[in-house]
Amino acid sequence: MPPPEEAELLRRVERVRAMGRMPRHVAIIMDGNGRWAQRRGWPRVAGHRAGVESVRAIVRFAGDIGLEVLTLYAFSTENWRRPPAEVRALMGLLVEHIRRDLDELDRNGVQIRVIGDPEGLPPTPRREVLRAVETTRSNGRMILVLALNYGARWELARAARLLAAKAARGEIDPQAIDEAMLAAHLQTADLPDPDLVIRPSGEWRISNFLLWQIAYSELWFTPIAWPDFRPVHLVEAIEAYAHRERRFGGLGPGAGRPGGAMAPGEVPGSSPPGPPRLRPPADAGQGAGGTDGGREDPAGCGPADAPGRLLGRGGAGVGAAPPQAVSPGGDTGGWPWADGAPGDGAGTPAGRGATRAPVTTGGGQPPAAPGGGRRPGGEAGAEGRC
């Protein structure tokens, strides 16, 4: 029997499922590991290691609630711009945790897939990744997609090259190339597009992630950094998704009625039966070490359909002991979390994002440096996001 807290989360998910509004595919931009560690005075790699516990918790819970596909943005094509020592450490973390977690994932029926270019990884990580894919190929409980050495622009360019080569060989007529044909040449061709995209850490951008596939995905942002992200936050995102009206460019069944309410006998589908978004109770934000749950987003830069939406809450307090650190280049640690965004490290071109005041989250995390300036190693023009 699950503990009471988990049992309540499962009941909440079942209510969403009963509404007929359960997402099939959830994609997550795992962000904030480095900043999470730096705020505590720890090395950045300690944040990546802490993030591994979030991955384990979310992957297990996603399987328990019956998600068909979970995609995690693990390492982007732009992440190679980070300092070489950090990249070496991240590759070591990847190897260790594939070796440690692969048997459990396989027993639990998780099929591992990789999007991106594994050929661009160093030899040992590449070998372990391909072994994980082959070992779990026949599993069908849930598909776990790892975006490794991945960039959406790279993926689209790759699809264009494949189509151009076929046209040059006379296999297809260039005039016949349409959206469906291009989609069929993406690495996600046999997967449903993400219904819901989640980005922790208080950033409000997509960062070159599944640009084609998320054209009509619902977006959910939270100031919680990835190391503090837990199943309760995933449930909050799913509940928010369930109460949104998805029109896909048209008019939903509830169009023209106050609040988009469904008419009697209307089948749950595009139009939500309840409020457009959920507001957790004020006391729900009392996470370990954090007391500002239920605080409205002060940045005012959220999606147009969610002004002032209540955001998620924090986790471990500042005084907690740091996760075990990993020496750069060591073959130990956790998954290579992208800190969510391409170009998070040194060498990022200046001016890619607009500086704004940071969101101070629960968990006792202190704000950014005065003025919202760039932290060491952070992205220029983006308040030192990583």
Side-chain angles (χ1 to χ4, degrees), residues 151-224:
R153 291 178 174 179
W154 170 88
E155 183 186 23
L156 289 167
R158 172 183 174 276
R161 287 194 300 272
L162 292 173
L163 289 169
K166 288 185 176 181
R169 293 193 298 266
E171 297 175 13
I172 59 173
D173 178 358
Q175 296 300 318
I177 296 175
D178 57 11
E179 293 182 13
M181 190 177 294
L182 194 152
H185 288 77
L186 298 177
Q187 294 181 302
T188 57
D190 63 333
L191 298 175
D193 288 343
D195 300 295
L196 172 63
V197 177
I198 298 171
R199 180 164 190 157
S201 87
E203 302 298 345
W204 300 75
R205 53 182 166 268
I206 299 306
S207 298
N208 199 20
F209 181 51
L210 300 176
L211 296 178
W212 178 277
Q213 297 89 336
I214 66 173
Y216 283 99
S217 300
E218 296 296 321
L219 309 180
W220 193 82
F221 302 93
T222 174
I224 300 299

Coordinates of all heavy atoms in Angstrom, one line a residue, residues 151-224:
G151 N 19.1 18.9 -30.3 CA 18.6 20.3 -30.5 C 17.6 20.2 -31.6 O 17.7 19.5 -32.6
A152 N 16.5 20.9 -31.4 CA 15.3 20.8 -32.3 C 15.7 21.4 -33.7 O 15.3 20.8 -34.7 CB 14.2 21.6 -31.8
R153 N 16.5 22.4 -33.8 CA 16.9 22.9 -35.1 C 17.8 21.9 -35.8 O 17.7 21.7 -37.0 CB 17.7 24.2 -34.9 CG 16.8 25.4 -34.5 CD 17.5 26.7 -34.3 NE 16.7 27.8 -34.0 CZ 17.1 29.0 -33.8 NH1 18.4 29.3 -33.8 NH2 16.2 30.0 -33.5
W154 N 18.6 21.2 -35.1 CA 19.4 20.1 -35.6 C 18.5 19.0 -36.2 O 18.7 18.5 -37.3 CB 20.4 19.5 -34.6 CG 21.1 18.3 -35.0 CD1 22.2 18.2 -35.7 CD2 20.6 16.9 -34.8 NE1 22.5 16.8 -35.9 CE2 21.5 16.1 -35.4 CE3 19.5 16.4 -34.2 CZ2 21.4 14.7 -35.3 CZ3 19.3 15.0 -34.1 CH2 20.3 14.2 -34.7
E155 N 17.5 18.7 -35.4 CA 16.6 17.6 -35.8 C 15.8 18.0 -37.1 O 15.7 17.2 -38.0 CB 15.6 17.3 -34.7 CG 14.6 16.1 -35.1 CD 13.6 15.9 -34.0 OE1 13.3 16.9 -33.3 OE2 13.0 14.8 -33.9
L156 N 15.4 19.2 -37.2 CA 14.7 19.7 -38.4 C 15.6 19.7 -39.6 O 15.2 19.4 -40.7 CB 14.1 21.1 -38.1 CG 12.9 21.1 -37.2 CD1 12.6 22.5 -36.7 CD2 11.7 20.4 -37.8
A157 N 16.9 20.2 -39.4 CA 17.8 20.2 -40.5 C 18.1 18.8 -41.0 O 18.3 18.5 -42.2 CB 19.1 20.9 -40.0
R158 N 18.2 17.8 -40.0 CA 18.4 16.4 -40.4 C 17.3 15.9 -41.2 O 17.5 15.2 -42.2 CB 18.6 15.6 -39.1 CG 18.6 14.1 -39.3 CD 18.7 13.4 -37.9 NE 18.6 11.9 -38.1 CZ 17.4 11.3 -38.2 NH1 16.3 11.9 -38.1 NH2 17.4 9.9 -38.3
A159 N 16.0 16.2 -40.8 CA 14.9 15.8 -41.6 C 14.9 16.4 -43.0 O 14.6 15.7 -44.0 CB 13.6 16.2 -40.9
A160 N 15.3 17.6 -43.1 CA 15.4 18.3 -44.4 C 16.4 17.6 -45.3 O 16.2 17.4 -46.5 CB 15.7 19.8 -44.2
R161 N 17.6 17.2 -44.7 CA 18.6 16.5 -45.5 C 18.1 15.2 -46.0 O 18.4 14.8 -47.1 CB 19.9 16.4 -44.6 CG 20.7 17.6 -44.4 CD 22.0 17.3 -43.8 NE 22.0 16.6 -42.5 CZ 21.9 17.2 -41.4 NH1 21.9 18.5 -41.3 NH2 21.9 16.5 -40.3
L162 N 17.4 14.5 -45.1 CA 16.9 13.2 -45.5 C 15.9 13.3 -46.7 O 15.9 12.5 -47.7 CB 16.2 12.5 -44.3 CG 17.1 12.0 -43.2 CD1 16.2 11.5 -42.0 CD2 18.1 11.0 -43.6
L163 N 15.0 14.3 -46.6 CA 14.1 14.5 -47.7 C 14.8 15.0 -49.0 O 14.4 14.6 -50.1 CB 13.0 15.6 -47.3 CG 12.0 15.1 -46.2 CD1 11.2 16.3 -45.7 CD2 11.1 14.1 -46.8
A164 N 15.8 15.9 -48.8 CA 16.5 16.3 -50.0 C 17.2 15.2 -50.7 O 17.3 15.1 -51.9 CB 17.5 17.4 -49.6
A165 N 17.8 14.3 -49.9 CA 18.5 13.1 -50.5 C 17.5 12.2 -51.2 O 17.8 11.7 -52.3 CB 19.2 12.3 -49.4
K166 N 16.4 12.0 -50.7 CA 15.4 11.2 -51.4 C 14.9 11.9 -52.7 O 14.7 11.2 -53.7 CB 14.2 10.9 -50.5 CG 14.5 10.0 -49.3 CD 13.2 9.7 -48.5 CE 13.5 8.6 -47.5 NZ 12.3 8.3 -46.7
A167 N 14.7 13.2 -52.6 CA 14.3 13.9 -53.8 C 15.4 13.8 -54.9 O 15.1 13.7 -56.1 CB 14.0 15.4 -53.5
A168 N 16.7 14.0 -54.5 CA 17.8 13.9 -55.4 C 17.9 12.5 -56.1 O 18.3 12.4 -57.2 CB 19.1 14.2 -54.7
R169 N 17.5 11.5 -55.3 CA 17.5 10.1 -55.9 C 16.3 9.8 -56.7 O 16.1 8.7 -57.3 CB 17.7 9.1 -54.8 CG 19.0 9.1 -54.1 CD 19.2 7.9 -53.2 NE 18.2 7.8 -52.2 CZ 18.3 8.2 -50.9 NH1 19.4 8.9 -50.6 NH2 17.4 8.1 -50.0
G170 N 15.3 10.8 -56.8 CA 14.1 10.6 -57.5 C 13.1 9.7 -56.8 O 12.1 9.3 -57.4
E171 N 13.3 9.5 -55.5 CA 12.3 8.7 -54.7 C 11.1 9.5 -54.4 O 10.0 8.8 -54.2 CB 13.0 8.2 -53.5 CG 14.2 7.3 -53.7 CD 14.9 6.9 -52.5 OE1 14.3 7.1 -51.4 OE2 16.0 6.3 -52.6
I172 N 11.2 10.8 -54.3 CA 10.0 11.6 -53.9 C 10.0 12.8 -54.8 O 11.0 13.3 -55.3 CB 9.9 12.0 -52.5 CG1 11.2 12.8 -52.1 CG2 9.8 10.8 -51.5 CD1 11.1 13.4 -50.7
D173 N 8.8 13.4 -55.1 CA 8.7 14.6 -55.8 C 8.7 15.8 -54.8 O 8.0 15.8 -53.8 CB 7.3 14.6 -56.5 CG 7.0 15.9 -57.2 OD1 7.9 16.8 -57.2 OD2 6.0 16.0 -57.8
P174 N 9.7 16.7 -54.9 CA 9.8 17.8 -54.0 C 8.5 18.5 -53.7 O 8.2 19.0 -52.6 CB 10.8 18.7 -54.6 CG 11.6 17.8 -55.5 CD 10.7 16.8 -56.0
Q175 N 7.6 18.6 -54.8 CA 6.3 19.2 -54.6 C 5.4 18.5 -53.7 O 4.4 19.0 -53.2 CB 5.7 19.4 -56.0 CG 6.4 20.4 -56.9 CD 6.6 21.8 -56.3 OE1 5.7 22.3 -55.7 NE2 7.8 22.3 -56.4
A176 N 5.7 17.2 -53.4 CA 4.8 16.4 -52.6 C 5.2 16.5 -51.1 O 4.5 15.9 -50.3 CB 4.9 14.9 -53.0
I177 N 6.3 17.2 -50.8 CA 6.7 17.3 -49.4 C 5.7 18.2 -48.7 O 5.5 19.3 -49.0 CB 8.1 17.8 -49.3 CG1 9.1 16.9 -50.0 CG2 8.5 18.1 -47.9 CD1 10.6 17.4 -50.0
D178 N 5.1 17.6 -47.6 CA 4.2 18.4 -46.8 C 4.5 18.2 -45.4 O 5.5 17.6 -45.0 CB 2.7 18.0 -47.1 CG 2.5 16.5 -46.9 OD1 3.4 15.8 -46.3 OD2 1.4 16.0 -47.3
E179 N 3.7 18.7 -44.5 CA 3.9 18.6 -43.0 C 4.0 17.1 -42.6 O 4.9 16.8 -41.8 CB 2.8 19.3 -42.3 CG 2.8 20.8 -42.5 CD 1.8 21.5 -41.6 OE1 1.2 20.9 -40.7 OE2 1.5 22.7 -41.9
A180 N 3.1 16.3 -43.1 CA 3.1 14.9 -42.7 C 4.4 14.2 -43.1 O 4.9 13.4 -42.3 CB 1.9 14.2 -43.3
M181 N 4.9 14.5 -44.3 CA 6.1 13.9 -44.7 C 7.3 14.3 -43.9 O 8.2 13.5 -43.5 CB 6.3 14.2 -46.2 CG 7.4 13.3 -46.8 SD 7.6 13.6 -48.6 CE 6.1 13.0 -49.2
L182 N 7.4 15.6 -43.6 CA 8.5 16.1 -42.8 C 8.4 15.5 -41.4 O 9.4 15.0 -40.8 CB 8.4 17.6 -42.7 CG 9.7 18.3 -42.1 CD1 9.9 19.6 -42.6 CD2 9.7 18.3 -40.6
A183 N 7.2 15.4 -40.8 CA 7.1 14.8 -39.4 C 7.5 13.4 -39.4 O 8.0 12.9 -38.4 CB 5.6 14.9 -39.0
A184 N 7.3 12.7 -40.6 CA 7.6 11.2 -40.6 C 9.1 11.0 -40.7 O 9.6 9.9 -40.5 CB 7.0 10.6 -41.9
H185 N 9.9 12.1 -40.9 CA 11.4 12.0 -40.9 C 12.0 12.6 -39.6 O 13.2 12.7 -39.6 CB 11.9 12.7 -42.2 CG 11.6 11.9 -43.4 ND1 10.4 11.9 -44.0 CD2 12.4 11.1 -44.2 CE1 10.5 11.2 -45.1 NE2 11.7 10.7 -45.2
L186 N 11.2 12.9 -38.7 CA 11.7 13.3 -37.4 C 12.0 12.1 -36.5 O 11.5 11.0 -36.8 CB 10.7 14.3 -36.6 CG 10.4 15.6 -37.3 CD1 9.3 16.3 -36.5 CD2 11.7 16.4 -37.5
Q187 N 12.8 12.3 -35.5 CA 13.2 11.1 -34.7 C 12.0 10.6 -33.8 O 12.1 9.5 -33.2 CB 14.4 11.5 -33.8 CG 15.7 11.7 -34.6 CD 16.8 12.0 -33.7 OE1 16.8 13.0 -32.9 NE2 17.9 11.2 -33.8
T188 N 11.0 11.4 -33.7 CA 9.8 11.1 -32.9 C 8.7 10.7 -33.7 O 7.5 10.7 -33.3 CB 9.4 12.3 -32.0 OG1 9.1 13.4 -32.9 CG2 10.5 12.7 -31.0
A189 N 8.9 10.2 -34.9 CA 7.9 10.0 -35.9 C 6.8 9.0 -35.4 O 5.6 9.2 -35.8 CB 8.5 9.5 -37.2
D190 N 7.1 8.0 -34.6 CA 6.1 7.1 -34.2 C 5.6 7.4 -32.8 O 4.9 6.5 -32.2 CB 6.7 5.7 -34.2 CG 7.9 5.5 -33.3 OD1 8.5 6.5 -32.9 OD2 8.1 4.4 -32.8
L191 N 5.8 8.5 -32.3 CA 5.3 8.9 -31.0 C 4.3 10.0 -31.1 O 4.3 10.8 -32.0 CB 6.5 9.4 -30.1 CG 7.6 8.4 -29.8 CD1 8.8 9.1 -29.1 CD2 7.1 7.2 -29.0
P192 N 3.4 10.0 -30.1 CA 2.4 11.2 -30.1 C 3.2 12.5 -29.7 O 4.2 12.4 -29.0 CB 1.4 10.8 -29.0 CG 2.2 9.9 -28.1 CD 3.1 9.1 -29.0
D193 N 2.7 13.6 -30.3 CA 3.3 14.8 -29.9 C 3.1 15.1 -28.4 O 2.1 14.6 -27.8 CB 2.7 16.0 -30.7 CG 3.2 16.0 -32.1 OD1 4.2 15.3 -32.4 OD2 2.5 16.7 -32.9
P194 N 4.0 15.8 -27.7 CA 3.7 16.1 -26.3 C 2.4 16.8 -26.1 O 2.2 17.8 -26.7 CB 4.9 16.9 -25.9 CG 6.0 16.6 -26.9 CD 5.3 16.3 -28.1
D195 N 1.7 16.4 -25.1 CA 0.5 17.1 -24.7 C 0.8 18.3 -23.7 O 0.2 19.3 -23.8 CB -0.5 16.2 -24.0 CG -1.0 15.0 -24.9 OD1 -1.6 15.3 -25.9 OD2 -0.6 13.9 -24.6
L196 N 1.9 18.0 -22.9 CA 2.2 18.9 -21.9 C 3.7 19.1 -21.8 O 4.4 18.0 -21.8 CB 1.7 18.4 -20.5 CG 2.1 19.1 -19.2 CD1 1.6 20.5 -19.2 CD2 1.5 18.3 -18.0
V197 N 4.2 20.3 -21.8 CA 5.6 20.6 -21.6 C 5.8 21.3 -20.3 O 5.2 22.3 -20.0 CB 6.2 21.4 -22.7 CG1 7.7 21.8 -22.5 CG2 6.1 20.7 -24.1
I198 N 6.7 20.8 -19.4 CA 7.0 21.3 -18.1 C 8.4 21.9 -18.1 O 9.3 21.2 -18.5 CB 6.8 20.3 -17.0 CG1 5.4 19.7 -17.0 CG2 7.2 20.8 -15.6 CD1 5.2 18.5 -16.1
R199 N 8.5 23.1 -17.5 CA 9.9 23.7 -17.3 C 10.0 24.2 -15.9 O 9.4 25.2 -15.6 CB 10.2 24.8 -18.3 CG 11.6 25.3 -18.1 CD 12.1 26.2 -19.2 NE 13.5 26.4 -18.9 CZ 14.4 26.7 -19.9 NH1 14.0 26.8 -21.1 NH2 15.7 26.9 -19.6
P200 N 10.8 23.5 -15.1 CA 11.1 24.1 -13.8 C 12.1 25.2 -13.8 O 12.6 25.6 -14.9 CB 11.7 22.9 -13.0 CG 11.5 21.7 -13.9 CD 11.4 22.2 -15.3
S201 N 12.3 25.8 -12.7 CA 13.4 26.8 -12.4 C 13.0 28.2 -12.7 O 13.9 29.1 -12.5 CB 14.7 26.4 -13.1 OG 14.7 27.0 -14.4
G202 N 11.8 28.5 -13.1 CA 11.4 29.9 -13.2 C 11.7 30.6 -14.6 O 11.5 31.8 -14.7
E203 N 12.3 29.8 -15.5 CA 12.5 30.3 -16.8 C 11.3 30.1 -17.7 O 10.5 29.2 -17.5 CB 13.7 29.6 -17.5 CG 15.0 29.8 -16.7 CD 15.5 31.2 -16.5 OE1 15.0 32.1 -17.2 OE2 16.3 31.5 -15.6
W204 N 11.1 31.0 -18.7 CA 9.9 31.0 -19.5 C 10.2 30.9 -21.0 O 9.9 31.8 -21.8 CB 9.1 32.3 -19.3 CG 8.7 32.4 -17.8 CD1 9.5 32.8 -16.8 CD2 7.4 32.2 -17.3 NE1 8.7 32.8 -15.6 CE2 7.4 32.5 -15.9 CE3 6.1 31.9 -17.9 CZ2 6.3 32.4 -15.1 CZ3 5.0 31.8 -17.0 CH2 5.1 32.1 -15.6
R205 N 10.9 29.9 -21.4 CA 11.3 29.7 -22.8 C 11.4 28.2 -23.1 O 11.4 27.4 -22.2 CB 12.6 30.4 -23.1 CG 13.8 30.1 -22.2 CD 15.0 30.9 -22.6 NE 16.0 30.9 -21.6 CZ 16.1 31.7 -20.6 NH1 15.2 32.7 -20.5 NH2 17.0 31.6 -19.7
I206 N 11.6 27.9 -24.4 CA 11.5 26.5 -24.9 C 12.9 26.0 -25.1 O 13.2 24.8 -25.0 CB 10.7 26.4 -26.2 CG1 9.3 26.9 -25.9 CG2 10.7 25.0 -26.7 CD1 8.6 26.1 -24.8
S207 N 13.9 26.8 -25.4 CA 15.3 26.5 -25.5 C 15.6 25.3 -26.5 O 16.2 24.3 -26.1 CB 15.8 26.1 -24.1 OG 15.8 27.2 -23.2
N208 N 15.1 25.5 -27.7 CA 15.4 24.6 -28.8 C 15.0 23.2 -28.5 O 15.7 22.2 -28.8 CB 16.9 24.7 -29.1 CG 17.3 24.2 -30.4 OD1 16.5 24.1 -31.3 ND2 18.6 23.8 -30.6
F209 N 13.9 23.0 -27.9 CA 13.4 21.7 -27.5 C 12.1 21.3 -28.2 O 11.1 22.0 -28.1 CB 13.1 21.7 -26.0 CG 12.7 20.4 -25.4 CD1 13.4 19.2 -25.6 CD2 11.6 20.3 -24.6 CE1 13.0 18.0 -25.1 CE2 11.1 19.1 -24.0 CZ 11.8 18.0 -24.3
L210 N 12.2 20.3 -29.1 CA 11.0 19.7 -29.8 C 10.2 20.8 -30.4 O 8.9 20.8 -30.3 CB 10.2 18.9 -28.8 CG 10.8 17.7 -28.1 CD1 9.9 17.1 -27.0 CD2 11.2 16.7 -29.1
L211 N 10.8 21.7 -31.2 CA 10.1 22.9 -31.7 C 8.9 22.5 -32.6 O 7.9 23.1 -32.6 CB 11.1 23.8 -32.4 CG 12.1 24.4 -31.5 CD1 13.1 25.3 -32.4 CD2 11.5 25.3 -30.4
W212 N 9.1 21.5 -33.4 CA 8.0 21.0 -34.3 C 6.9 20.3 -33.5 O 5.7 20.6 -33.7 CB 8.6 20.1 -35.4 CG 7.6 19.5 -36.3 CD1 6.8 18.5 -36.1 CD2 7.3 20.0 -37.6 NE1 5.9 18.2 -37.2 CE2 6.3 19.2 -38.1 CE3 7.8 21.1 -38.4 CZ2 5.7 19.4 -39.4 CZ3 7.2 21.2 -39.7 CH2 6.2 20.4 -40.2
Q213 N 7.3 19.5 -32.6 CA 6.4 18.6 -31.9 C 5.5 19.3 -30.9 O 4.4 18.9 -30.6 CB 7.1 17.5 -31.2 CG 7.9 16.5 -32.1 CD 9.3 17.0 -32.4 OE1 9.6 18.2 -32.3 NE2 10.2 16.0 -32.8
I214 N 5.9 20.4 -30.4 CA 5.2 21.1 -29.3 C 4.4 22.3 -29.9 O 4.0 23.2 -29.1 CB 6.1 21.6 -28.2 CG1 7.1 22.7 -28.6 CG2 6.8 20.4 -27.6 CD1 7.8 23.3 -27.5
A215 N 4.1 22.3 -31.2 CA 3.4 23.4 -31.8 C 2.1 23.7 -31.0 O 1.6 24.9 -30.9 CB 3.1 23.1 -33.2
Y216 N 1.4 22.7 -30.5 CA 0.1 22.8 -29.8 C 0.2 22.2 -28.4 O -0.9 21.9 -27.9 CB -1.0 22.3 -30.6 CG -1.4 23.2 -31.8 CD1 -1.0 22.9 -33.1 CD2 -2.2 24.3 -31.6 CE1 -1.3 23.7 -34.1 CE2 -2.6 25.1 -32.6 CZ -2.1 24.9 -33.9 OH -2.5 25.7 -34.9
S217 N 1.3 22.0 -27.9 CA 1.4 21.5 -26.5 C 1.0 22.6 -25.5 O 1.2 23.8 -25.8 CB 2.9 21.1 -26.2 OG 3.3 20.1 -27.1
E218 N 0.5 22.2 -24.4 CA 0.3 23.1 -23.3 C 1.6 23.2 -22.5 O 2.3 22.3 -22.3 CB -0.8 22.5 -22.3 CG -2.2 22.4 -23.0 CD -2.7 23.8 -23.4 OE1 -2.6 24.7 -22.6 OE2 -3.4 23.9 -24.5
L219 N 1.9 24.5 -22.1 CA 3.1 24.8 -21.4 C 2.8 25.1 -19.9 O 1.9 25.8 -19.6 CB 3.8 26.0 -22.0 CG 4.0 25.9 -23.5 CD1 4.7 27.2 -24.0 CD2 4.8 24.7 -23.9
W220 N 3.7 24.6 -19.0 CA 3.5 24.8 -17.6 C 4.9 25.1 -17.0 O 5.8 24.3 -17.1 CB 2.9 23.5 -16.9 CG 2.4 23.7 -15.5 CD1 1.2 24.2 -15.1 CD2 3.1 23.4 -14.3 NE1 1.1 24.2 -13.8 CE2 2.2 23.7 -13.2 CE3 4.4 22.8 -14.0 CZ2 2.6 23.5 -11.9 CZ3 4.7 22.6 -12.7 CH2 3.8 23.0 -11.6
F221 N 5.0 26.3 -16.3 CA 6.2 26.7 -15.8 C 6.1 26.8 -14.3 O 5.0 27.1 -13.7 CB 6.6 28.1 -16.3 CG 6.7 28.2 -17.8 CD1 5.6 28.5 -18.6 CD2 7.9 27.9 -18.4 CE1 5.7 28.5 -20.0 CE2 8.0 27.9 -19.8 CZ 7.0 28.2 -20.6
T222 N 7.2 26.6 -13.6 CA 7.2 26.7 -12.1 C 8.6 27.2 -11.7 O 9.6 26.9 -12.3 CB 6.9 25.3 -11.5 OG1 7.1 25.4 -10.1 CG2 7.9 24.2 -12.0
P223 N 8.7 28.0 -10.6 CA 10.0 28.4 -10.1 C 10.8 27.3 -9.4 O 11.9 27.5 -9.1 CB 9.6 29.5 -9.1 CG 8.2 29.2 -8.7 CD 7.5 28.6 -9.9
I224 N 10.2 26.2 -9.1 CA 10.9 25.1 -8.5 C 12.0 24.6 -9.3 O 11.9 24.3 -10.5 CB 9.9 23.9 -8.2 CG1 8.7 24.3 -7.4 CG2 10.7 22.7 -7.6 CD1 9.1 24.8 -6.0

